[in-house]
Amino acid sequence: MPMAGEKGSGRLIVIAIPYLWLLALFLVPFLIVVKISVSQDILASPPYTPLLDLSQGWAGLKDYVSQLSFDNYFYVLSFDNEFIGAYGSSLVIASISTVLLLLVGYPIAYAMARAPRSIQPTLLMLVILPFWTSFLIRVYAWIGILSQEGLLNQALLALGVIDTPLEILNTDLAVYIGIVYSYLPFMVLPLYSALEKLDPTLLEAAEDLGCPSARAFWLITFPLSLPGVAAGALLCFIPAVGEFVIPDLLGGSDTMMIGKSLWTEFTVNRSWTSSSAVAVLLLLLLVVPIVIYQNIQARQLEAGK
Amino acid sequence: MATEKARTQTIGAVRRSFAPWTDPAATPLIRFDNVVKRFGEFTAVDHVSIDIYEREFFALLGPSGCGKTTLMRMLAGFEEPTEGRVLLAGQDLAGVPPYRRPVNMMFQSYALFPHMSVAENIAFGPKQLGMPKGEIAGRVAEMLKLVKLEKFAQRKPHQLSGGQRQRVALARSLATRPKVLLLDEPLGALDKKLREETQFELMDLQMDLGMTFLIVTHDQEEAMTVADRIAVMNNGVLVQVAPPSTIYEAPATRYVADFIGDVNMLECKVESCANGDVHLASSVTPAPIEIAQSVEANPGDTAWLAIRPEKMRISLDAPADMTRNCFTGEIWDIGYLGDLSIYHVELPCGTPISRAWWSGRFPGKTRFSSPSRRAPAWS
């Protein structure tokens, strides 16, 4: 039995490390944000109240709890403010982007999985290649491409396709282009890994049983790639909802996204408390798809047994 | 019990008289006509011509990489021949896609659709052929009954055992009632006992359905058990096509003799050859070797003598007739297998170790302590 105990404590330490990491760097900061979100703004440093004074002991804690309020949440969720619109618009933009990403990413992943084995590592590296340049710089580069005097307009004008420059930069279209471009690897990689695992003899079997290959795609390939579709969609959808840099740099003044609103609330309005509330609500909004994703994964694991 | 026996006898009788390949008027169902398949520089199938007849259980046998699977895949439509033609019921299959060929394949990996239940897997083929819904349900039920998996209709493939998966794959490939069923190493993933049972089930099934089965296997016992005729292939070349008994008793080449069953090979010189009687001389024994086998040979030719282990007798004392077909040797090892024993015998004059099977007579190893000088005689 002491042997088992020793083994157990060793395992416990190994398991504990990532949990401690998450606790210190995710849960604790998040609880601080939650705490700020139920406080009130004041002009001071820190710019919110009440503060928890642990030296007062039990009385201090009671005092603290009695002063907490959910006013910030009511403020954020009130229809007089832009936040509800921004949440909605973020969800819409993220959803449309995810669909676009699927439409662009699926053929790429499919072609990669069907390519000769020897060149697949190269193709994979090409997909990851953009990561070698900073995300911010790549988004800036799109300004150079999409602006009135940008590369795209100049090329189209030179070719005589258009007479007047297209207005793409600072519109929702630019935001879609930016999101689809930036998130494409996150869509392609899980799709590729799902399609690459697909046993090609399944397609031969389908064809052998009288099913032409186009139909076999919808009956065999696509259903079996659904876990990859789900993984890719959620990997893109979740960060896209909270995206700040892309709408800020490429979007127009009327592009509403919650990340941008949060930034404005924090830096311009200088309200720590209400921006914390925005952040907490955003997280709650995203927990739903994350839970769905985990459910799918668990089911996958179950099926794989 | 009695009827069961009677039925087996009838089947046996039918099998014995079934030999359309001997009838020059019979037209083959499948014809490989001088088929060549090259992959780049590599020739996988080299000028192979085979005729396979309706209701025949035909085996393509050979080591892995001999081209047998490629040959089958050309019939299924997954590969096109580089040269030559593949004909099914007189029709050239060139350019006909797999989904239009009335040929179904049971894959080595079974290739069951993992996201579909057993019933959906079986219904896949009939559905693709546009069979009405009610009929499909009937066909699926019939197939499930055929492979005795009625209770597993709603299971997914991953919830089945290997043997059950094999049955689903079989049912799925039979559900469209194809003209020919192709079986690619169908029993490779099963354990020995289940494999033997399934071999007999496959034979019964083929008889009952009256279908043409083409099986690809590297397992010579499997081919011998199930097939009416066997085609032995090596390095893309067809070596011999014949019923199992002919393949075993009269192999066409050294390769076939060596590949099918256990055999002892001895290099000999042809002394005389007349009226189907061949006299051979070998350095391993002073006694002449006489065989009754119709072989075309000239005196002085080098010949290879293949002796099946079970055709040899071993005795401690010299046999009465030492004038022909006998060797003297030393027993090195005895492997006791129960129903038979394997004797490793070394012949004098530096000849390689020879093997002999022998069952009965000497129970256990007590009488022979190895190594000891004994006389294995062959007759």
Side-chain angles (χ1 to χ4, degrees):
Chain A
M1 265 0 239
M3 275 300 286
E6 243 165 70
K7 235 182 178 175
S9 67
R11 263 181 56 179
L12 208 68
I13 290 169
V14 171
I15 295 169
I17 291 169
Y19 278 97
L20 286 172
W21 176 276
L22 285 174
L23 185 79
L25 297 173
F26 178 74
L27 192 64
V28 170
F30 177 67
L31 288 176
I32 293 173
V33 171
V34 172
K35 178 192 139 180
I36 298 173
S37 75
V38 288
S39 307
Q40 278 133 40
D41 279 315
I42 52 159
L43 280 171
S45 177
Y48 57 86
T49 184
L51 294 172
L52 180 57
D53 188 358
L54 286 175
S55 61
Q56 298 271 321
W58 184 243
L61 191 69
K62 251 168 100 179
D63 196 31
Y64 171 72
V65 171
S66 66
Q67 286 186 56
L68 294 179
S69 84
F70 288 92
D71 286 353
N72 292 311
Y73 288 93
F74 293 122
Y75 166 74
V76 170
L77 291 176
S78 128
F79 280 101
D80 300 337
N81 297 308
E82 57 168 324
F83 296 106
I84 287 194
Y87 279 123
S89 155
S90 289
L91 290 177
V92 170
I93 290 177
S95 305
I96 295 175
S97 301
T98 305
V99 171
L100 292 173
L101 275 160
L102 261 175
L103 292 177
V104 177
Y106 203 104
I108 295 176
Y110 187 80
M112 279 171 66
R114 282 301 192 85
R117 285 259 158 219
S118 54
I119 66 161
Q120 284 190 14
T122 315
L123 294 174
L124 211 57
M125 214 192 66
L126 287 174
V127 170
I128 308 169
L129 201 65
F131 289 130
W132 292 8
T133 310
S134 153
F135 167 68
L136 208 57
I137 289 171
R138 281 183 286 131
V139 178
Y140 268 115
W142 276 104
I143 298 178
I145 296 169
L146 299 176
S147 67
Q148 290 268 332
E149 297 83 32
L151 277 175
L152 181 68
N153 274 320
Q154 277 177 6
L156 290 177
L157 283 169
L159 287 171
V161 181
I162 50 169
D163 297 327
T164 50
L166 296 171
E167 221 175 287
I168 304 174
L169 192 66
N170 302 329
T171 64
D172 281 2
L173 180 61
V175 175
Y176 287 125
I177 292 173
I179 292 180
V180 169
Y181 164 75
S182 308
Y183 288 39
L184 199 56
F186 298 106
M187 181 58 90
V188 170
L189 294 179
L191 280 175
Y192 166 76
S193 91
L195 287 167
E196 186 256 348
K197 266 187 284 181
L198 189 88
D199 179 3
T201 54
L202 291 181
L203 296 175
E204 281 189 349
E207 219 182 325
D208 190 55
L209 291 165
C211 179
S213 31
R215 210 187 311 156
F217 173 82
W218 291 109
L219 292 177
I220 311 295
T221 310
F222 189 70
L224 287 175
S225 69
L226 279 178
V229 171
L234 284 158
L235 277 178
C236 292
F237 179 79
I238 293 167
V241 173
E243 184 55 59
F244 160 71
V245 173
I246 294 169
D248 193 54
L249 292 181
L250 303 179
S253 52
D254 55 344
T255 304
M256 290 232 292
M257 283 195 81
I258 195 66
K260 228 172 120 185
S261 306
L262 185 109
W263 171 263
T264 314
E265 188 64 18
F266 190 78
T267 55
V268 181
N269 296 347
R270 300 245 168 172
S271 171
W272 284 40
T273 56
S274 49
S275 49
S276 295
V278 172
V280 171
L281 285 172
L282 179 60
L283 191 110
L284 290 179
L285 197 67
L286 294 181
V287 158
V288 179
I290 291 171
V291 167
I292 293 174
Y293 176 51
Q294 282 184 335
N295 255 336
I296 293 171
Q297 267 198 325
R299 265 217 311 256
Q300 255 345 94
L301 279 176
E302 198 65 29
K305 267 179 198 166
Chain B
M1 208 49 204
T3 49
E4 186 66 25
K5 201 168 180 189
R7 181 171 162 270
T8 325
Q9 275 168 351
T10 337
I11 290 173
V14 170
R15 275 210 180 264
R16 264 195 295 282
S17 63
F18 178 78
W21 51 90
T22 56
D23 176 8
T27 50
L29 177 66
I30 302 159
R31 166 164 268 178
F32 291 99
D33 184 10
N34 232 349
V35 171
V36 178
K37 178 68 188 180
R38 290 190 195 92
F39 295 104
E41 292 285 288
F42 175 69
T43 306
V45 174
D46 196 358
H47 293 94
V48 168
S49 295
I50 306 177
D51 286 347
I52 299 168
Y53 296 86
E54 201 162 355
R55 304 170 84 88
E56 194 175 353
F57 203 139
F58 194 91
L60 288 170
L61 176 65
S64 59
C66 73
K68 57 193 191 303
T69 302
T70 309
L71 201 62
M72 175 184 267
R73 288 172 62 82
M74 283 192 275
L75 181 55
F78 299 128
E79 312 282 356
E80 285 289 331
T82 317
E83 281 170 39
R85 296 182 307 162
V86 181
L87 295 110
L88 181 70
Q91 186 208 347
D92 190 346
L93 290 176
V96 179
Y99 57 87
R100 290 238 179 81
R101 298 189 183 198
V103 167
N104 279 356
M105 183 147 157
M106 193 190 134
F107 291 80
Q108 185 174 9
S109 62
Y110 308 148
L112 297 176
F113 305 130
H115 57 304
M116 295 182 193
S117 68
V118 167
E120 286 168 334
N121 263 287
I122 297 173
F124 189 90
K127 223 181 251 175
Q128 295 309 313
L129 298 187
M131 200 186 271
K133 265 209 167 121
E135 241 176 273
I136 293 176
R139 181 65 61 86
V140 169
E142 181 192 334
M143 287 298 139
L144 285 170
K145 195 164 168 247
L146 190 72
V147 295
K148 303 180 194 100
L149 282 176
E150 293 100 324
K151 283 181 193 148
F152 299 90
Q154 295 316 314
R155 294 265 186 102
K156 290 276 174 71
H158 69 90
Q159 296 166 314
L160 301 175
S161 72
Q164 290 166 335
R165 274 181 228 183
Q166 190 263 351
R167 285 158 183 280
V168 178
L170 186 63
R172 186 181 70 177
S173 52
L174 287 171
T176 51
R177 303 245 166 93
K179 275 197 179 136
V180 182
L181 179 69
L182 310 178
L183 303 131
D184 184 8
E185 303 270 4
L187 313 177
L190 304 182
D191 60 61
K192 193 168 184 289
K193 199 154 184 190
L194 193 56
R195 193 161 63 221
E196 280 166 10
E197 274 173 39
T198 316
Q199 282 168 6
F200 287 102
E201 281 176 14
L202 273 180
M203 289 163 71
D204 285 351
L205 199 67
Q206 190 256 350
M207 287 300 293
D208 292 348
L209 297 172
M211 272 171 59
T212 311
F213 278 26
L214 174 60
I215 186 173
V216 156
T217 180
H218 66 273
D219 179 345
Q220 45 108 355
E221 266 179 52
E222 186 170 298
M224 301 274 285
T225 309
V226 299
D228 294 312
R229 276 193 307 160
I230 297 173
V232 183
M233 289 182 73
N234 187 33
N235 289 328
V237 180
L238 189 64
V239 189
Q240 188 174 11
V241 185
S245 55
T246 313
I247 295 259
Y248 190 78
E249 301 282 345
T253 68
R254 251 184 88 189
Y255 174 80
V256 177
D258 204 22
F259 189 72
I260 309 284
D262 285 307
V263 77
N264 297 293
M265 290 284 206
L266 294 172
E267 196 176 350
C268 303
K269 276 255 175 314
V270 178
E271 300 231 297
S272 70
C273 174
N275 308 328
D277 267 340
V278 187
H279 289 241
L280 302 163
S282 172
S283 57
V284 301
T285 170
I289 300 162
E290 294 174 26
I291 53 167
Q293 194 90 246
S294 47
V295 183
E296 291 279 319
N298 296 313
D301 285 354
T302 304
W304 284 89
L305 179 67
I307 314 168
R308 296 288 180 200
E310 76 278 7
K311 309 251 160 153
M312 288 202 266
R313 295 277 170 275
I314 295 181
S315 60
L316 289 166
D317 311 309
D321 179 15
M322 284 282 280
T323 55
R324 59 191 184 104
N325 295 356
C326 65
F327 311 95
T328 314
E330 205 169 272
I331 294 169
W332 277 91
D333 273 312
I334 304 165
Y336 175 69
L337 298 180
D339 53 344
L340 50 86
S341 294
I342 300 172
Y343 288 79
H344 287 243
V345 177
E346 200 182 59
L347 303 178
C349 344
T351 9
I353 287 168
S354 174
R355 261 179 312 181
W357 290 7
W358 186 81
S359 47
R361 293 278 173 85
F362 294 106
K365 302 180 180 180
T366 43
R367 293 286 300 272
F368 291 152
S369 57
S370 56
S372 59
R373 207 165 274 278
R374 300 294 170 235
W378 159 71
S379 52

